[in-house]
Amino acid sequence: MKNLKIASIPGDGIGREVVPAAIEVLQTVSDLHGGLSFEFTEFPYSCEYYLEHGVMMPKDGLERLQDFDSIFLGAVGNAKLVPDHISLWGLLIKLRREFEQVINVRPAKIFKGVRSPLVNPKDFDLIVVRENSEGEYSSVGGRIYQGEDEIAIQNAIFSRRGTERAMRYAFELATKRKQHVTSATKSNGIFHSMPFWDEVFQDVSKDYPEIGTDSQHIDALAAFFVTNPSRFDVIVASNLFGDVLTDIGAAVMGSIGIAPAANINVNGKYPSMFEPVHGSAPDIIGKGIANPIGQIWTAKMLLDHYGEEELGAVLLDVVESVTNDGMLTPDIGGKHTTSEVTNEIITRLKARA
């Protein structure tokens, strides 16, 4: 029996609606599998927790979480209660940094039954590997002077270790897919970090002669995501570039509400974290219409992470059968509720047993 201890953090807004839905799906998967079990422990860390305690999580929050196998996160943020830079840096980014979740993985594909805004999306199926710990999102810099003389300095930090780590992860992933890696760069405009990025990419690619490669400037690459996403397999990108590309990937799928993500710890010291791309969606809280698919697809990525790729494939196939039959929430053109979509997925999973 494989027993996984998972820390559940529903967080803010619709996270409290879609996390329980996805947990119910995972428990169904566990029951059907027979050799896999989940033990979920919920933590209340959120913006409401901040209002009560003055912090997004307690001082020993990391210590409480570090012995779990993984973290299953819903959403973080409610700007009406707590400024976004406080909520994100106090919880989401803190977990990513302190738990050394140095790789962010986000897939995007043509999703059966979900209408892409593209006229001819073809059958695209890509995955972005994003360096998740440094790059343009480093905290190095500062602000000096006041008034019209005020200066803001933001330093982008690129280490060879961090850059190469992300690239090797991308190449390893490509060996299991269509054997091609695209590097997102901007070496024609960013003088130091991007030529360095290109050099490391060239060095790493020599160790994978069987993998095809190309390098695209981020502006052109973003355009290609819209005009011809089916040309891509695995894309490796810096922290900022990967962040932008993955939101475009979610958009061309048809909704950010179905997009998943994984924050991967590669050294085994700390738990990885799985979260959907969507935010807390305060405009639809409590209406029962939040799309659970982003969280459920995230659950599929959790299964993959623990070597249950076949089970994960079955889960995603069932989800797509549901959307293909028109059981959609309002954000993707349907009229069904969170619970209706979730219950149908569970019913079809049981029928596949």
Side-chain angles (χ1 to χ4, degrees), residues 14-336:
I14 63 169
R16 301 181 184 185
E17 301 171 39
V18 296
V19 166
I23 288 176
E24 192 174 356
V25 170
L26 278 173
Q27 296 288 23
T28 301
V29 168
S30 170
D31 292 342
L32 298 175
H33 183 280
L36 175 68
S37 69
F38 296 98
E39 181 182 336
F40 288 94
T41 302
E42 184 172 319
F43 293 85
Y45 309 149
S46 63
C47 287
E48 290 188 2
Y49 185 93
Y50 181 91
L51 293 181
E52 184 176 351
H53 301 279
V55 289
M56 290 297 293
M57 61 178 172
K59 290 183 178 180
D60 64 345
L62 293 173
E63 184 178 344
R64 295 184 188 185
L65 295 170
Q66 69 181 11
D67 291 330
F68 284 88
D69 293 309
S70 285
I71 299 169
F72 200 49
L73 178 69
V76 177
N78 186 337
K80 291 183 179 180
L81 300 179
V82 180
D84 283 340
H85 70 280
I86 292 177
S87 60
L88 290 175
W89 281 88
L91 183 55
L92 176 63
I93 296 178
K94 189 177 184 67
L95 289 172
R96 288 178 178 175
R97 297 286 173 90
E98 297 296 327
F99 285 163
E100 299 178 20
Q101 295 166 353
V102 295
I103 305 292
N104 181 273
V105 181
R106 296 186 183 182
K109 66 188 292 291
I110 193 72
F111 211 85
K112 294 177 183 178
V114 178
R115 183 178 178 181
S116 169
L118 303 183
V119 173
N120 185 19
K122 300 181 181 177
D123 193 18
F124 72 87
D125 182 355
L126 59 87
I127 191 162
V128 177
V129 174
R130 166 187 170 192
E131 198 291 313
N132 205 36
S133 63
E134 49 185 42
E136 303 90 346
Y137 288 179
S138 84
S139 56
V140 179
R143 295 168 66 166
I144 57 175
Y145 310 134
Q146 293 83 37
E148 64 179 13
D149 294 324
E150 188 172 12
I151 298 173
I153 301 169
Q154 178 70 49
N155 293 333
I157 305 299
F158 286 76
S159 69
R160 177 169 287 273
R161 179 184 180 186
T163 301
E164 182 173 328
R165 183 170 50 202
M167 291 175 177
R168 289 195 180 277
Y169 193 97
F171 275 94
E172 290 294 331
L173 193 58
T175 63
K176 305 174 186 177
R177 291 173 52 90
K178 293 178 285 187
Q179 301 204 339
H180 192 277
V181 177
T182 298
S183 169
T185 185
K186 191 57 182 171
S187 51
N188 63 345
I190 301 178
F191 192 80
H192 293 294
S193 60
M194 284 295 105
F196 171 79
W197 175 277
D198 291 349
E199 291 166 12
V200 176
F201 185 72
Q202 291 172 7
D203 290 344
V204 173
S205 67
K206 294 175 184 176
D207 293 335
Y208 298 87
E210 74 282 9
I211 303 297
T213 63
D214 70 325
S215 185
Q216 297 284 342
H217 293 302
I218 185 62
D219 43 351
L221 184 53
F224 286 136
F225 259 46
V226 174
T227 58
N228 190 15
S230 63
R231 67 180 287 183
F232 298 108
D233 180 21
V234 178
I235 301 96
V236 63
S238 65
N239 216 332
L240 174 60
F241 292 173
D243 197 3
V244 173
L245 287 175
T246 50
D247 274 13
I248 299 174
V252 298
M253 278 199 295
S255 172
I256 201 168
I258 66 174
N263 301 282
I264 305 298
N265 171 277
V266 296
N267 60 24
K269 293 181 180 179
Y270 304 105
S272 295
M273 179 167 62
F274 299 83
E275 53 165 332
V277 175
H278 66 68
S280 58
D283 56 320
I284 61 168
I285 294 173
K287 295 182 179 181
I289 58 172
N291 194 333
I293 291 176
Q295 195 78 49
I296 293 170
W297 193 352
T298 296
K300 183 264 186 193
M301 296 186 75
L302 186 150
L303 290 171
D304 292 344
H305 183 67
Y306 289 104
E308 300 291 345
E309 290 95 345
E310 185 176 342
L311 200 57
V314 169
L315 174 56
L316 190 59
D317 185 58
V318 167
V319 173
E320 286 196 82
S321 75
V322 170
T323 57
N324 197 42
D325 287 343
M327 290 207 67
L328 310 172
T329 47
D331 62 304
I332 47 177
K335 58 182 180 180
H336 292 278

